[in-house]
Amino acid sequence: MSRSRHRKSPHRLQAHLPKILAALAGTAVLAGGAYFAMKKSPEDHFHAGKELQQKRDYKAAEIELKNALQGAPDNSEARHLLGQVQYVAGNYPGAEKELKKALDLGTRDPGVAPLSARALLMQNAHQRLLDDVSLLEKATSAESKAAIHALRARAQLKLKDTTGAEKSIADADALSADHTETLAAKAFLAFNMGQQAAALAFVENALAKDGQRADLWSLKGDLLHVQKRDAEALQAYAKALALEPENIPARLAVTQVHMEAD
């Protein structure tokens, strides 16, 4: 009797096989649907990255933007935003790379070329900034061209070319008088000429135009530190780091102030 049941069991299984396969197929369809419902499009990743960048969650924003670019590598806006995120995170070579790609893709955002130039300055790549004439060509407004001239002036000052810096500042003012970037360049020029009070005044004027620039707060801290006003300098550096927690010059400057105080 038991043998008979064992012999018939395969036939019973075969009888139910269509139902089993149908159930498994239905499960697979549901699982597949759930997978595709969960999978983000490049546009979804981009918008998620933008929201995270606005919340200053830069690490998570970078991941989302890189995912967006995997699916849409020619998205110039995503390249620009990734460059901004990497700049704020202190990854200046990465920022330079992404911003230049955004420019090559034809972005019309006027902030891209100046930020690319600033990324070069942050790497102390002064000669590269002067050699890269394409940044001026790709600047899309008078204000962005003025910013490029002013940033070139800072590079020239670093290379001891005061005459060239003065000309670049004049070129910047001719395009957009007292641009934020030009005021910063004038501060560097005044400092080089030993005019510390004038240099600090230029930086104050620049910050009045744009108080969200960590590099300007860091520059103010440097000028205050030179004048032995270290308590005020530390406050300026703190503002820089509140805007850009990974700002390398500000971090190094704070360390130096504390070491000199010991």
Side-chain angles (χ1 to χ4, degrees), residues 219-231:
L219 174 57
K220 180 180 178 179
D222 292 342
L223 293 171
L224 290 166
H225 177 51
V226 168
Q227 296 178 29
K228 308 298 183 186
R229 297 161 63 181
D230 286 346

Side-chain angles (χ1 to χ4, degrees), residues 70-184:
Q70 281 186 345
D74 293 338
N75 185 333
S76 63
E77 194 177 355
R79 294 278 177 199
H80 176 200
L81 197 59
L82 179 56
Q84 284 184 310
V85 166
Q86 291 180 325
Y87 182 94
V88 171
N91 181 3
Y92 305 119
E96 178 200 352
K97 177 184 173 184
E98 294 302 333
L99 293 166
K100 285 194 173 180
K101 283 184 180 179
L103 290 169
D104 291 340
L105 288 167
T107 181
R108 302 300 298 168
D109 191 304
V112 179
L115 188 58
S116 182
R118 282 162 58 192
L120 285 168
L121 275 184
M122 295 301 284
Q123 297 174 72
N124 293 319
H126 306 118
Q127 192 59 54
R128 278 208 293 136
L129 173 53
L130 296 176
D131 292 340
D132 191 355
V133 294
S134 69
L135 286 175
L136 270 173
E137 295 168 358
K138 292 178 179 178
T140 56
S141 68
E143 289 77 14
S144 60
K145 289 182 187 294
I148 299 296
H149 280 298
L151 289 160
R152 285 169 61 86
R154 288 172 57 179
Q156 288 163 323
L157 286 170
K158 286 288 186 178
L159 296 173
K160 312 298 182 185
D161 181 7
T162 304
T163 302
E166 289 173 338
K167 182 183 182 306
S168 292
I169 288 172
D171 290 340
D173 270 335
L175 287 162
S176 179
D178 282 339
H179 187 282
T180 302
E181 212 67 75
T182 311
L183 290 167

Side-chain angles (χ1 to χ4, degrees), residues 37-55:
M38 290 171 60
K39 189 176 180 181
K40 288 183 181 178
S41 68
E43 189 175 355
D44 292 334
H45 282 298
F46 171 70
H47 288 301
K50 194 171 185 178
E51 288 181 8
L52 288 162
Q53 184 254 0
Q54 290 169 349
K55 294 175 181 177

Side-chain angles (χ1 to χ4, degrees), residues 183-255:
L183 290 167
K186 288 178 179 179
F188 278 99
L189 179 61
F191 181 76
N192 278 13
M193 298 173 69
Q195 301 169 1
Q196 294 180 11
L200 188 56
F202 281 127
V203 174
E204 293 282 14
N205 289 338
L207 283 167
K209 286 177 177 268
D210 188 354
Q212 299 300 302
R213 286 275 300 272
D215 60 326
L216 296 179
W217 283 110
S218 185
L219 174 57
K220 180 180 178 179
D222 292 342
L223 293 171
L224 290 166
H225 177 51
V226 168
Q227 296 178 29
K228 308 298 183 186
R229 297 161 63 181
D230 286 346
E232 295 171 81
L234 288 171
Q235 290 176 357
Y237 294 136
K239 289 185 178 180
L241 291 170
L243 292 165
E244 295 179 9
E246 302 302 322
N247 187 286
I248 296 171
R251 282 178 170 272
L252 292 174
V254 169
T255 302

